[in-house]
Amino acid sequence: MARILLVEDEGAIAQTVEFALRADGFETAHALTGSAALRLANTAAFDLAILDVGLPDIGGFALCRELRRGRDLPVIFLTARDAEADRVLGLEIGADDYVAKPFSPRELVARVRAVLRRSRGAQACAAFEHDAEGHRVFFRGRLLELTRYEYGLLAALLQRPGAILSRSQLMDRVWGGDSESSDRTVDTHIKTLRAKLREVDPASDPIRTQRGLGYSLQAD
């Protein structure tokens, strides 16, 4: 369960955002001020922060810099400021997204999920080195001895880290028009691919099964 730090001084907005996030399965912590947010961030780990720019003590941009100091924390700005200069400044100092008020809570939750997917995908890819021209993949610095289809599956997942690829999508990308293959073929090759990754790092399981949907490459 991802933990979200919400920093918003307007109680009604904070309540709406927290309700939407919790309804979608997120755990939230709310701070009314920037100083309170820094105290929370120093005592607990968060997967993402949603920051209001117009806070009563520390400005949202300054708070973003402080929260990102020494930690890799994705940040979404939530603010009434919709000027282009503010959006550009927010993104330049490290924010991952920028949502202007008034906003749709459902859209905000969708943006949170998108930022988390990108963040986790980047973390997952950090463990791999993909030599596309040589059709080789290194995992934690070690060359993986892969079959043609194992390589194709891993390359497809590495191209879209964090995204869920269905079995039919993987079939199309790796097996093409081979009518002899089936969804079970994907599952079998994913199983052997996972075994080879565990040989390198027994505690790692970057390929995740998304029940009823397919597979994704996620950070541990």
Side-chain angles (χ1 to χ4, degrees), residues 25-84:
F26 293 106
E27 182 180 344
T28 64
H30 174 223
L32 288 167
T33 64
S35 55
L38 290 173
R39 288 195 295 271
L40 282 172
N42 287 331
T43 58
F46 293 95
D47 298 290
L48 181 142
I50 300 174
L51 310 180
D52 182 23
V53 171
L55 296 170
D57 56 348
I58 305 172
F61 294 149
L63 177 60
C64 178
R65 293 189 185 96
E66 290 299 317
L67 287 172
R68 296 290 294 268
R69 196 186 303 276
R71 59 172 70 89
D72 185 15
L73 180 67
V75 171
I76 295 176
F77 280 126
L78 182 63
T79 175
R81 300 183 184 180
D82 195 24
E84 181 181 359

Side-chain angles (χ1 to χ4, degrees), residues 15-215:
Q15 186 175 14
T16 299
V17 172
E18 282 199 289
F19 179 82
L21 289 169
R22 289 172 179 169
D24 211 55
F26 293 106
E27 182 180 344
T28 64
H30 174 223
L32 288 167
T33 64
S35 55
L38 290 173
R39 288 195 295 271
L40 282 172
N42 287 331
T43 58
F46 293 95
D47 298 290
L48 181 142
I50 300 174
L51 310 180
D52 182 23
V53 171
L55 296 170
D57 56 348
I58 305 172
F61 294 149
L63 177 60
C64 178
R65 293 189 185 96
E66 290 299 317
L67 287 172
R68 296 290 294 268
R69 196 186 303 276
R71 59 172 70 89
D72 185 15
L73 180 67
V75 171
I76 295 176
F77 280 126
L78 182 63
T79 175
R81 300 183 184 180
D82 195 24
E84 181 181 359
D86 286 329
R87 293 198 303 273
V88 171
L89 177 58
L91 296 172
E92 283 183 346
I93 66 173
D96 296 87
D97 206 345
Y98 197 107
V99 180
K101 302 174 185 176
F103 61 91
S104 160
R106 290 180 62 185
E107 179 186 354
L108 176 60
V109 170
R111 287 174 179 263
V112 166
R113 286 200 172 278
V115 170
L116 286 173
R117 280 197 302 270
R118 291 198 300 269
S119 174
R120 289 169 175 170
Q123 293 175 40
C125 281
F128 292 91
E129 180 184 344
H130 183 195
D131 174 11
E133 291 186 1
H135 286 200
R136 301 185 303 169
V137 179
F138 296 81
F139 181 55
R140 308 234 185 261
R142 235 174 93 182
L143 175 65
L144 295 170
E145 297 295 335
L146 303 176
T147 67
R148 168 189 168 188
Y149 296 119
E150 289 168 352
Y151 167 78
L153 287 170
L154 186 53
L157 293 168
L158 283 168
Q159 284 179 350
R160 296 190 59 195
I164 299 174
L165 298 181
S166 68
R167 288 172 176 82
S168 61
Q169 286 177 307
L170 291 169
M171 285 289 301
D172 288 342
R173 294 185 185 200
V174 181
W175 280 267
D178 185 356
S179 59
E180 299 295 321
S181 300
S182 66
D183 286 357
R184 293 293 299 169
T185 303
V186 175
D187 295 338
T188 300
H189 283 80
I190 288 288
K191 182 178 180 180
T192 60
L193 179 55
R194 279 175 164 153
K196 292 181 179 181
L197 294 175
R198 283 195 296 271
E199 287 178 6
V200 177
D201 183 356
S204 182
D205 187 21
I207 299 177
R208 303 294 171 81
T209 301
Q210 308 294 340
R211 190 177 297 276
L213 299 174
Y215 296 98

